[in-house]
């Protein structure tokens, strides 16, 4: 809490009057955290970026925020999470000028990895990037990204799947579109992880809501 207060004070001193609205100011604060990368800031940057992305989905700076998150997870030695954020940039923003950079970073990580798990699925990850068609509609693209997570078992943990499904319904106001499929995937993920109660409640939600 103290770290967050200090950082807020710093950003106000460095960028007085920046931007035209609170959204610009919030992004500028996150950019400050990224540009002043310290171990204490990495977790904070991820938390603040998650809040921004939920509050301002599909914003003009969303692609760059996914890149920031990927770099922060790399700083925490969490390669799988970093790849998932680069993939999110690639899948949600096909026309982004940062898309090529995200692809190059994934290629570099897959080439240098010593993880047997990642080596085994490296071709699958590259195929996902190369073969998935461009999707312009943001909601369709978000579903497409979750579909990728569902296919990439090494990245798709129950907690990651639950987070993205929850984000999907939050961003799109509990939309019915794709909801049944998402709950089915999530329930199956819980079932595969032997989380019987979570799987049961998820399937019950699917049955009663769709």
């Amino acid at each position: 809490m103290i770290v967050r207060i200090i950082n807020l004070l710093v950003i106000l001193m460095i960028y007085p009057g920046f931007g035209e609205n609170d959204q610009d100011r919030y992004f500028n604060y996150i950019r400050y955290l990224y540009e002043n990368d310290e171990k204490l800031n990495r977790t904070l940057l991820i938390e603040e970026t998650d809040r921004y992305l939920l509050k301002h989905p599909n914003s003009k700076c969303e692609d760059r925020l996914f890149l920031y998150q990927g770099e922060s997870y790399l700083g925490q030695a969490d390669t799988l999470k970093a790849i998932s954020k680069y993939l999110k940039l690639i899948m949600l923003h096909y026309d982004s000028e940062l898309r090529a950079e995200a692809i190059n970073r994934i290629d570099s990580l897959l080439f240098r990895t010593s993880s047997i798990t990642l080596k085994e699925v490296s071709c699958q990850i590259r195929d996902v990037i190369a073969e998935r068609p461009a999707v312009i509609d943001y909601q369709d693209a978000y579903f497409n990204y979750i579909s990728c997570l569902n296919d990439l078992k090494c990245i798709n943990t129950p907690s990651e799947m639950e987070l993205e499904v929850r984000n999907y319904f939050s961003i799109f106001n509990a939309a019915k579109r794709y909801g049944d499929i998402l709950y089915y995937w999530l329930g199956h993920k819980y079932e595969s992880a032997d989380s019987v109660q979570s799987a049961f409640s998820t399937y019950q939600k699917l049955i009663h809501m769709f």
Side-chain angles (χ1 to χ4, degrees):
M1 184 64 180
I2 293 176
V3 173
R4 183 174 283 111
I5 291 172
I6 292 174
N7 277 295
L8 282 169
L9 291 174
V10 170
I11 195 65
L12 288 173
M13 288 188 291
I14 293 179
Y15 299 114
F18 176 87
E20 299 177 353
N21 52 46
D22 291 341
Q23 183 176 344
D24 290 336
R25 291 176 183 274
Y26 201 175
F27 171 74
N28 211 48
Y29 165 57
I30 294 171
R31 188 183 68 180
Y32 164 78
L33 293 179
Y34 177 77
E35 291 175 349
N36 294 270
D37 184 25
E38 300 170 359
K39 289 184 178 179
L40 287 177
N41 278 354
R42 286 172 185 159
T43 298
L44 178 61
L45 184 146
I46 292 167
E47 291 174 351
E48 294 290 1
T49 304
D50 281 338
R51 291 190 184 95
Y52 182 100
L53 292 169
L54 275 179
K55 188 174 182 180
H56 307 291
N58 201 21
S59 68
K60 62 184 179 182
C61 59
E62 184 175 79
D63 54 347
R64 187 164 298 279
L65 293 177
F66 290 147
L67 199 69
Y68 286 177
Q69 285 192 322
E71 295 301 289
S72 295
Y73 279 118
L74 278 183
Q76 296 178 336
D78 194 337
T79 303
L80 291 177
K81 290 283 283 187
I83 289 176
S84 74
K85 298 306 176 184
Y86 296 143
L87 272 177
K88 200 169 187 178
L89 189 165
I90 294 165
M91 301 301 296
L92 268 62
H93 297 281
Y94 275 91
D95 58 348
S96 170
E97 62 182 14
L98 299 175
R99 187 172 187 271
E101 184 175 350
I103 292 174
N104 289 337
R105 294 192 186 194
I106 289 178
D107 282 339
S108 176
L109 289 171
L110 294 177
F111 179 78
R112 294 186 288 107
T113 186
S114 59
S115 166
I116 295 176
T117 301
L118 262 183
K119 285 181 180 294
E120 289 176 346
V121 298
S122 61
C123 289
Q124 186 183 9
I125 293 174
R126 289 189 174 100
D127 287 345
V128 163
I129 296 171
E131 297 177 3
R132 294 273 175 150
V135 178
I136 303 303
D137 180 83
Y138 187 68
Q139 187 170 356
D140 289 342
Y142 209 112
F143 172 78
N144 205 27
Y145 167 66
I146 299 176
S147 174
C148 288
L149 287 186
N150 188 58
D151 292 340
L152 298 171
K153 307 303 181 185
C154 66
I155 296 177
N156 176 22
T157 63
S159 60
E160 183 73 12
M161 190 70 167
E162 180 182 12
L163 173 64
E164 291 300 346
V165 170
R166 186 170 65 245
N167 287 349
Y168 176 91
F169 284 110
S170 176
I171 292 170
F172 302 109
N173 298 316
K176 293 284 187 178
R177 191 161 136 208
Y178 304 127
D180 53 346
I181 302 173
L182 294 176
Y183 278 130
Y184 175 78
W185 285 344
L186 181 57
H188 183 69
K189 189 63 185 179
Y190 282 133
E191 191 176 355
S192 299
D194 293 325
S195 299
V196 178
Q197 185 58 48
S198 295
F200 178 80
S201 62
T202 302
Y203 288 141
Q204 285 291 315
K205 185 176 287 187
L206 189 162
I207 291 168
H208 287 87
M209 293 182 64
F210 297 93

